[in-house]
Structures are given as structure tokens and as C-alpha cells.
Amino acid sequence: MLEVELGSYEDIQSGEAASLFVDHFCEVREHSDVGLVKCDPSWPYYKNLQDADALRVWLARYDGEVVGYCVMVLLPHPHSQMQEMMWSDSLYVAPRKRSTGAGLALIAAAEQEADEFGFNILWSVPACTAVDAIMARRKTYRPAMSMYLRKAQWQ
């Protein structure tokens, strides 16, 4: 049975979702357009966000096992401080549990909180991926911007 629960940054740092965080990084690193070189998260940054009540972490459990997570950051929009935004940091489901509804359940958990507090949601997803296709089909979303990456030129 699939369940979604609220977690914390500790869950992705050293808790039940820590191995998924590493798997997620390895998968993202293989995507040549992302530009990440090594997995070196700023855990103090995540802790500061959590301490400021500006971080949300949801865990997806399938038969009790953590199989995915969603991390969102709550911040005022930089151009309009009165508009709170929920920005996606990461969304990941273990490959063996994709197409089980876990990803959609994590998205729904974020949407439920956003609706409850009147936040806009901005999802940043890699282009031409399964999650990109899912977001494009959701009737309550529309493309908001394009992002372009220029990799650093290493000396």
C-alpha cells in the first residue's frame, strides 16, 4: 500500500531516504545537460530552511519502505514579497517503483499544502523526461519559463 508522510531534511541527509538521495544524484549526473559534477549538498542550508519553516519534505512509502521523496522550498516571490511560492528542489521515485502512483502522490501532497496556504507552485523538471510529460498533462499547470544551462568552462 502506498502512503505519503511529511518528513524532514534529516530523512534525506542520513535517514531512510538517504540512499535514494544518492541514487537520485547518480541518475541526474548521467543526464548530461544538468551540469552537476559531484554530490555535495549543503546540509546546513537545508537545516536553515527547515528551522525557518521554509522547507517541506514528503516521503512516499510503499508497504512501509521509503521509495521516493519530494523536497519543496517556501519563499516569497523575489519580485512580489506578498506572494509566497513553493519551489521544487527535488522529486524522486526509485526506478523499481515508478508507474505505481508514488510520484503523483508526492506531487499531490505538495499541491494540497500549496492550496491550503494559497501558495503558487513552481516545478523545475528536466526537459524531455517522464515527469516533464506528466506536468505537461496536468490541467492546473502551464509552462512558465524556459531555463538554459551553460556549463562552466573548466581550466
Side-chain angles (χ1 to χ4, degrees), residues 50-111:
Q50 184 168 288
D51 290 348
D53 198 30
L55 185 77
R56 296 295 183 274
V57 176
W58 288 275
L59 305 175
R61 291 183 182 275
Y62 197 84
D63 293 333
E65 175 191 6
V66 175
V67 297
Y69 62 87
C70 176
V71 180
M72 302 292 284
V73 177
L74 309 174
L75 295 171
H77 192 285
H79 303 153
S80 177
Q81 294 183 43
M82 297 300 293
Q83 178 60 58
E84 290 285 334
M85 297 287 293
M86 186 179 279
W87 305 76
S88 68
D89 175 75
S90 52
L91 173 67
Y92 183 75
V93 175
R96 71 190 191 306
K97 290 298 181 183
R98 293 180 185 165
S99 298
T100 64
L104 290 174
L106 289 164
I107 291 169
E111 289 174 340

Coordinates of all heavy atoms in Angstrom, one line a residue, residues 50-111:
Q50 N 14.7 24.5 7.0 CA 13.8 23.8 7.9 C 13.5 24.6 9.2 O 12.4 24.7 9.6 CB 14.3 22.4 8.2 CG 13.3 21.6 9.0 CD 13.7 20.1 9.1 OE1 13.6 19.4 8.1 NE2 14.2 19.7 10.3
D51 N 14.6 25.1 9.8 CA 14.4 25.9 11.0 C 13.6 27.2 10.8 O 12.9 27.6 11.7 CB 15.8 26.3 11.6 CG 16.6 25.1 12.1 OD1 16.0 24.0 12.3 OD2 17.8 25.3 12.4
A52 N 13.6 27.7 9.6 CA 12.8 28.9 9.2 C 11.4 28.5 8.8 O 10.7 29.4 8.3 CB 13.5 29.7 8.2
D53 N 11.0 27.2 8.9 CA 9.7 26.7 8.4 C 9.5 27.0 6.9 O 8.5 27.3 6.5 CB 8.6 27.3 9.2 CG 7.3 26.5 9.1 OD1 7.4 25.2 8.8 OD2 6.2 27.1 9.2
A54 N 10.7 26.9 6.1 CA 10.6 27.2 4.7 C 11.0 25.9 3.9 O 11.3 26.1 2.7 CB 11.6 28.3 4.4
L55 N 11.0 24.8 4.5 CA 11.3 23.5 3.8 C 10.2 22.5 4.1 O 9.8 22.3 5.2 CB 12.7 23.0 4.3 CG 13.2 21.8 3.5 CD1 13.8 22.2 2.2 CD2 14.3 21.1 4.3
R56 N 9.8 21.8 3.0 CA 8.9 20.7 3.2 C 9.5 19.5 2.5 O 10.0 19.6 1.4 CB 7.5 21.0 2.5 CG 6.8 22.1 3.1 CD 6.3 21.8 4.6 NE 5.6 22.9 5.1 CZ 6.1 24.0 5.7 NH1 7.4 24.2 5.8 NH2 5.3 25.0 6.1
V57 N 9.5 18.4 3.2 CA 9.9 17.1 2.7 C 8.8 16.1 2.8 O 8.3 15.9 3.9 CB 11.2 16.6 3.4 CG1 11.6 15.2 2.9 CG2 12.3 17.6 3.3
W58 N 8.4 15.4 1.8 CA 7.4 14.4 1.8 C 8.1 13.1 1.4 O 9.0 13.1 0.5 CB 6.3 14.6 0.9 CG 5.4 15.7 1.4 CD1 4.3 15.6 2.3 CD2 5.4 17.1 1.0 NE1 3.7 16.8 2.4 CE2 4.4 17.8 1.7 CE3 6.2 17.8 0.1 CZ2 4.1 19.1 1.5 CZ3 6.0 19.2 -0.1 CH2 4.9 19.8 0.6
L59 N 7.8 12.0 2.1 CA 8.3 10.7 1.8 C 7.1 9.8 1.3 O 6.1 9.8 1.9 CB 8.9 10.0 3.1 CG 10.0 10.8 3.8 CD1 10.3 10.1 5.1 CD2 11.2 11.0 2.9
A60 N 7.4 9.1 0.2 CA 6.5 8.1 -0.3 C 6.9 6.7 0.2 O 8.1 6.3 0.1 CB 6.4 8.1 -1.8
R61 N 6.0 6.0 0.9 CA 6.3 4.6 1.4 C 5.4 3.7 0.6 O 4.2 3.9 0.4 CB 6.0 4.5 2.9 CG 6.9 5.3 3.7 CD 6.6 5.1 5.2 NE 7.4 5.8 6.0 CZ 8.7 5.4 6.4 NH1 9.1 4.3 6.1 NH2 9.4 6.2 7.2
Y62 N 6.0 2.6 0.2 CA 5.2 1.5 -0.4 C 5.4 0.3 0.5 O 6.6 -0.2 0.6 CB 5.7 1.3 -1.9 CG 4.8 0.5 -2.7 CD1 3.7 1.1 -3.4 CD2 4.9 -0.9 -2.9 CE1 2.9 0.4 -4.1 CE2 4.1 -1.6 -3.6 CZ 3.0 -1.0 -4.3 OH 2.2 -1.7 -5.1
D63 N 4.4 -0.2 1.1 CA 4.4 -1.3 2.0 C 5.5 -1.0 3.1 O 6.3 -1.9 3.5 CB 4.7 -2.6 1.3 CG 3.6 -3.1 0.4 OD1 2.4 -2.7 0.7 OD2 3.8 -3.8 -0.6
G64 N 5.5 0.2 3.6 CA 6.4 0.6 4.7 C 7.8 1.0 4.3 O 8.5 1.7 5.1
E65 N 8.2 0.8 3.1 CA 9.6 1.1 2.6 C 9.5 2.5 1.9 O 8.7 2.7 1.1 CB 10.1 0.1 1.6 CG 11.4 0.4 1.0 CD 11.7 -0.5 -0.2 OE1 10.9 -1.4 -0.6 OE2 12.9 -0.4 -0.7
V66 N 10.5 3.4 2.2 CA 10.6 4.6 1.6 C 11.1 4.4 0.1 O 12.1 3.8 -0.1 CB 11.5 5.6 2.3 CG1 11.7 6.9 1.5 CG2 11.0 5.9 3.7
V67 N 10.2 4.8 -0.8 CA 10.6 4.6 -2.3 C 10.7 5.9 -3.0 O 11.0 5.9 -4.2 CB 9.5 3.7 -2.9 CG1 9.5 2.3 -2.3 CG2 8.1 4.3 -2.9
G68 N 10.4 7.0 -2.4 CA 10.6 8.3 -3.1 C 10.4 9.5 -2.1 O 10.1 9.3 -0.9
Y69 N 10.8 10.6 -2.6 CA 10.6 11.8 -1.8 C 10.4 13.1 -2.7 O 10.7 13.1 -3.9 CB 11.9 12.1 -0.9 CG 13.2 12.3 -1.7 CD1 13.5 13.5 -2.1 CD2 14.0 11.2 -2.0 CE1 14.7 13.7 -2.8 CE2 15.1 11.4 -2.7 CZ 15.5 12.6 -3.1 OH 16.7 12.8 -3.9
C70 N 9.9 14.1 -2.1 CA 9.7 15.4 -2.7 C 10.2 16.4 -1.7 O 9.8 16.4 -0.6 CB 8.2 15.6 -3.0 SG 7.8 17.2 -3.7
V71 N 11.0 17.4 -2.2 CA 11.5 18.4 -1.4 C 11.1 19.8 -2.0 O 11.4 20.0 -3.2 CB 13.1 18.4 -1.2 CG1 13.6 19.5 -0.4 CG2 13.5 17.1 -0.7
M72 N 10.4 20.6 -1.2 CA 10.0 21.9 -1.7 C 10.5 23.0 -0.8 O 10.6 22.8 0.4 CB 8.4 21.9 -1.8 CG 7.8 20.9 -2.6 SD 8.1 21.1 -4.4 CE 7.0 22.4 -4.8
V73 N 10.7 24.2 -1.3 CA 11.2 25.3 -0.6 C 10.1 26.4 -0.6 O 9.6 26.7 -1.7 CB 12.5 25.9 -1.1 CG1 13.0 27.1 -0.4 CG2 13.6 24.8 -1.1
L74 N 9.8 27.0 0.5 CA 8.7 28.0 0.6 C 9.4 29.4 0.7 O 10.2 29.6 1.7 CB 7.8 27.8 1.8 CG 7.2 26.4 1.9 CD1 6.5 26.3 3.2 CD2 6.3 26.1 0.8
L75 N 9.2 30.2 -0.2 CA 9.9 31.5 -0.2 C 8.9 32.6 -0.8 O 8.1 32.2 -1.7 CB 11.2 31.5 -1.1 CG 12.3 30.6 -0.6 CD1 13.4 30.6 -1.6 CD2 12.8 31.2 0.8
P76 N 9.1 33.8 -0.4 CA 8.3 34.9 -1.1 C 8.9 35.0 -2.5 O 10.1 34.8 -2.7 CB 8.6 36.1 -0.3 CG 9.4 35.7 0.9 CD 9.8 34.3 0.7
H77 N 8.0 35.3 -3.4 CA 8.5 35.5 -4.8 C 9.5 36.7 -4.8 O 9.2 37.7 -4.2 CB 7.3 35.8 -5.7 CG 7.7 35.8 -7.2 ND1 8.4 36.8 -7.8 CD2 7.5 34.8 -8.1 CE1 8.6 36.5 -9.0 NE2 8.1 35.3 -9.3
P78 N 10.6 36.6 -5.5 CA 11.6 37.7 -5.4 C 11.1 39.0 -6.0 O 11.6 40.1 -5.6 CB 12.8 37.2 -6.2 CG 12.3 36.0 -6.9 CD 11.1 35.5 -6.2
H79 N 10.1 39.0 -6.8 CA 9.5 40.2 -7.4 C 8.2 40.7 -6.7 O 7.7 41.8 -7.1 CB 9.3 40.1 -8.9 CG 10.5 39.6 -9.6 ND1 10.5 38.9 -10.8 CD2 11.8 39.8 -9.3 CE1 11.7 38.7 -11.2 NE2 12.5 39.2 -10.3
S80 N 7.7 39.9 -5.8 CA 6.5 40.3 -5.1 C 6.5 39.5 -3.8 O 6.0 38.4 -3.7 CB 5.3 39.8 -6.0 OG 4.1 40.1 -5.3
Q81 N 6.9 40.2 -2.7 CA 7.1 39.6 -1.4 C 5.8 39.1 -0.8 O 5.8 38.2 0.0 CB 7.8 40.6 -0.5 CG 9.2 40.9 -0.9 CD 9.9 41.8 0.1 OE1 9.8 41.6 1.3 NE2 10.6 42.7 -0.4
M82 N 4.7 39.6 -1.3 CA 3.4 39.2 -0.7 C 2.9 37.9 -1.3 O 2.0 37.3 -0.7 CB 2.3 40.3 -1.0 CG 2.6 41.6 -0.3 SD 2.7 41.5 1.5 CE 1.0 41.0 1.9
Q83 N 3.5 37.4 -2.4 CA 3.2 36.2 -3.0 C 4.1 35.1 -2.6 O 5.3 35.0 -3.0 CB 3.1 36.3 -4.5 CG 2.8 35.0 -5.2 CD 1.4 34.4 -4.8 OE1 0.4 35.1 -4.9 NE2 1.3 33.2 -4.2
E84 N 3.7 34.2 -1.7 CA 4.5 33.0 -1.3 C 4.5 32.0 -2.4 O 3.5 31.8 -3.1 CB 4.0 32.4 0.0 CG 4.1 33.2 1.2 CD 5.5 33.2 1.7 OE1 6.3 32.3 1.5 OE2 5.9 34.2 2.4
M85 N 5.7 31.5 -2.6 CA 5.9 30.5 -3.7 C 6.4 29.2 -3.1 O 7.2 29.2 -2.1 CB 6.9 30.9 -4.7 CG 6.5 32.2 -5.5 SD 5.3 31.9 -6.7 CE 6.1 30.9 -7.9
M86 N 6.0 28.1 -3.6 CA 6.5 26.8 -3.3 C 7.4 26.3 -4.5 O 6.8 26.1 -5.6 CB 5.4 25.8 -3.0 CG 5.9 24.5 -2.5 SD 4.5 23.3 -2.1 CE 4.0 23.9 -0.5
W87 N 8.7 26.3 -4.3 CA 9.6 26.0 -5.4 C 10.1 24.5 -5.3 O 10.5 24.1 -4.2 CB 10.8 26.9 -5.3 CG 10.5 28.3 -5.3 CD1 10.1 29.1 -4.3 CD2 10.7 29.3 -6.4 NE1 9.9 30.4 -4.7 CE2 10.3 30.5 -6.0 CE3 11.1 29.1 -7.7 CZ2 10.3 31.7 -6.8 CZ3 11.2 30.3 -8.5 CH2 10.8 31.5 -8.1
S88 N 10.1 23.8 -6.3 CA 10.6 22.4 -6.3 C 12.1 22.4 -6.1 O 12.8 23.1 -6.8 CB 10.2 21.6 -7.5 OG 10.9 22.1 -8.6
D89 N 12.6 21.6 -5.2 CA 14.0 21.3 -5.1 C 14.3 20.0 -5.7 O 15.2 19.8 -6.5 CB 14.4 21.3 -3.6 CG 15.8 20.9 -3.4 OD1 16.7 21.8 -3.6 OD2 16.1 19.8 -2.9
S90 N 13.5 19.0 -5.3 CA 13.7 17.6 -5.9 C 12.5 16.8 -5.8 O 11.7 16.9 -4.8 CB 15.0 16.9 -5.3 OG 14.9 16.9 -3.9
L91 N 12.3 15.9 -6.7 CA 11.3 14.9 -6.7 C 11.9 13.6 -7.3 O 12.5 13.7 -8.4 CB 10.1 15.3 -7.6 CG 9.0 14.4 -7.9 CD1 8.2 14.1 -6.6 CD2 8.0 14.9 -9.0
Y92 N 11.8 12.5 -6.5 CA 12.5 11.3 -7.0 C 11.7 10.1 -6.5 O 11.2 10.1 -5.3 CB 13.9 11.2 -6.4 CG 14.7 10.0 -6.9 CD1 15.1 9.9 -8.2 CD2 14.9 8.9 -6.0 CE1 15.8 8.8 -8.6 CE2 15.6 7.8 -6.5 CZ 16.0 7.8 -7.8 OH 16.7 6.7 -8.2
V93 N 11.6 9.1 -7.4 CA 11.0 7.8 -7.0 C 12.0 6.8 -7.5 O 12.5 6.9 -8.7 CB 9.6 7.7 -7.7 CG1 9.1 6.2 -7.4 CG2 8.6 8.7 -7.1
A94 N 12.2 5.8 -6.7 CA 13.1 4.7 -7.1 C 12.6 4.1 -8.4 O 11.4 3.9 -8.6 CB 13.2 3.7 -6.0
P95 N 13.5 3.8 -9.3 CA 13.1 3.3 -10.6 C 12.2 2.1 -10.5 O 11.2 2.0 -11.3 CB 14.4 2.9 -11.3 CG 15.4 3.8 -10.7 CD 15.0 4.0 -9.3
R96 N 12.4 1.2 -9.6 CA 11.6 0.0 -9.5 C 10.2 0.3 -9.0 O 9.3 -0.6 -9.1 CB 12.3 -1.1 -8.6 CG 12.3 -0.7 -7.1 CD 13.2 -1.6 -6.3 NE 13.1 -1.5 -4.9 CZ 13.2 -0.4 -4.2 NH1 13.4 0.7 -4.8 NH2 13.0 -0.4 -2.9
K97 N 9.9 1.5 -8.5 CA 8.6 1.9 -8.0 C 7.9 3.0 -8.8 O 6.9 3.5 -8.4 CB 8.7 2.3 -6.6 CG 9.0 1.1 -5.6 CD 7.9 0.1 -5.7 CE 8.1 -1.1 -4.7 NZ 7.1 -2.1 -4.9
R98 N 8.5 3.3 -10.0 CA 7.9 4.2 -10.9 C 6.7 3.6 -11.5 O 6.6 2.4 -11.6 CB 8.9 4.7 -11.9 CG 10.0 5.5 -11.3 CD 11.0 6.0 -12.2 NE 12.1 6.7 -11.4 CZ 13.3 7.0 -11.9 NH1 13.6 6.8 -13.1 NH2 14.1 7.6 -11.1
S99 N 5.7 4.4 -11.9 CA 4.5 3.9 -12.5 C 3.6 3.2 -11.5 O 2.7 2.4 -11.8 CB 4.7 3.0 -13.7 OG 5.4 3.7 -14.7
T100 N 3.8 3.5 -10.2 CA 3.0 2.9 -9.1 C 2.1 4.0 -8.5 O 1.3 3.7 -7.7 CB 3.8 2.4 -8.0 OG1 4.6 3.4 -7.4 CG2 4.8 1.3 -8.5
G101 N 2.2 5.3 -9.0 CA 1.5 6.4 -8.4 C 2.2 7.1 -7.3 O 1.7 8.1 -6.8
A102 N 3.4 6.7 -7.0 CA 4.2 7.3 -5.9 C 4.6 8.7 -6.2 O 4.4 9.6 -5.4 CB 5.5 6.5 -5.6
G103 N 5.0 9.0 -7.5 CA 5.4 10.3 -7.9 C 4.1 11.3 -7.9 O 4.2 12.4 -7.4
L104 N 3.0 10.8 -8.4 CA 1.8 11.6 -8.4 C 1.3 11.8 -7.0 O 0.8 12.9 -6.7 CB 0.7 10.9 -9.2 CG 0.9 10.8 -10.7 CD1 -0.1 9.9 -11.4 CD2 1.0 12.2 -11.3
A105 N 1.5 10.9 -6.1 CA 1.1 11.1 -4.7 C 2.0 12.2 -4.0 O 1.5 13.0 -3.2 CB 1.2 9.8 -3.9
L106 N 3.2 12.2 -4.3 CA 4.1 13.2 -3.8 C 3.7 14.6 -4.3 O 3.7 15.6 -3.6 CB 5.6 12.9 -4.1 CG 6.2 11.7 -3.4 CD1 7.5 11.2 -4.0 CD2 6.4 12.1 -1.9
I107 N 3.5 14.7 -5.6 CA 3.0 15.9 -6.2 C 1.7 16.4 -5.6 O 1.6 17.6 -5.2 CB 2.9 15.8 -7.8 CG1 4.3 15.6 -8.4 CG2 2.1 17.0 -8.4 CD1 4.2 15.2 -9.9
A108 N 0.8 15.5 -5.4 CA -0.5 15.8 -4.8 C -0.3 16.3 -3.3 O -1.0 17.2 -2.9 CB -1.4 14.6 -4.8
A109 N 0.6 15.7 -2.6 CA 0.9 16.2 -1.2 C 1.4 17.7 -1.2 O 0.9 18.5 -0.4 CB 1.9 15.3 -0.5
A110 N 2.3 18.0 -2.2 CA 2.7 19.4 -2.3 C 1.6 20.3 -2.7 O 1.4 21.4 -2.2 CB 3.9 19.5 -3.3
E111 N 0.8 19.9 -3.7 CA -0.3 20.7 -4.1 C -1.4 20.9 -3.0 O -1.9 22.0 -2.9 CB -1.0 20.0 -5.3 CG -0.2 19.9 -6.6 CD -0.9 19.1 -7.7 OE1 -1.7 18.2 -7.4 OE2 -0.5 19.4 -8.8

